[in-house]
Amino acid sequence: MGSSSPITNVPAITWTNGVPTAPTEQQILAGRAADFIAAWGAGLNTKPTTAQGQVIASDTAIIGDANDNILLVASMVDPNNAEG
């Protein structure tokens, strides 16, 4: 069985000196739109009023929420930022 690496235009969370930085919602949205165009061709209409635009927006929200949760967990490791 071969291995594969997922390819996406959505920027990943970056880590600098142990501090994570997530891409903005606009960067995620642009990346997902580019992913859809790469998959279905340049003629794809990604405007928010189309079905594919709605899927792109939903994907963006899901990825943004996941990134927020990752940043929360990362910040809770540092006793200076931890709460609860």
Side-chain angles (χ1 to χ4, degrees):
M1 178 187 242
S3 65
S4 64
S5 297
I7 297 172
T8 183
N9 291 296
V10 176
I13 292 174
T14 56
W15 295 78
T16 305
N17 297 325
V19 177
T21 303
T24 65
E25 295 279 326
Q26 279 305 113
Q27 291 171 321
I28 297 169
L29 183 68
R32 286 306 291 146
D35 288 347
F36 270 63
I37 290 169
W40 286 287
L44 184 70
N45 185 349
T46 59
K47 290 183 181 175
T49 55
T50 64
Q52 52 272 22
Q54 291 293 304
V55 173
I56 292 167
S58 294
D59 285 355
T60 298
I62 292 166
I63 294 167
D65 185 56
N67 285 350
D68 289 345
N69 285 319
I70 291 168
L71 296 180
L72 175 64
V73 169
S75 72
M76 297 303 279
V77 173
D78 182 351
N80 293 322
N81 295 324
E83 56 186 56

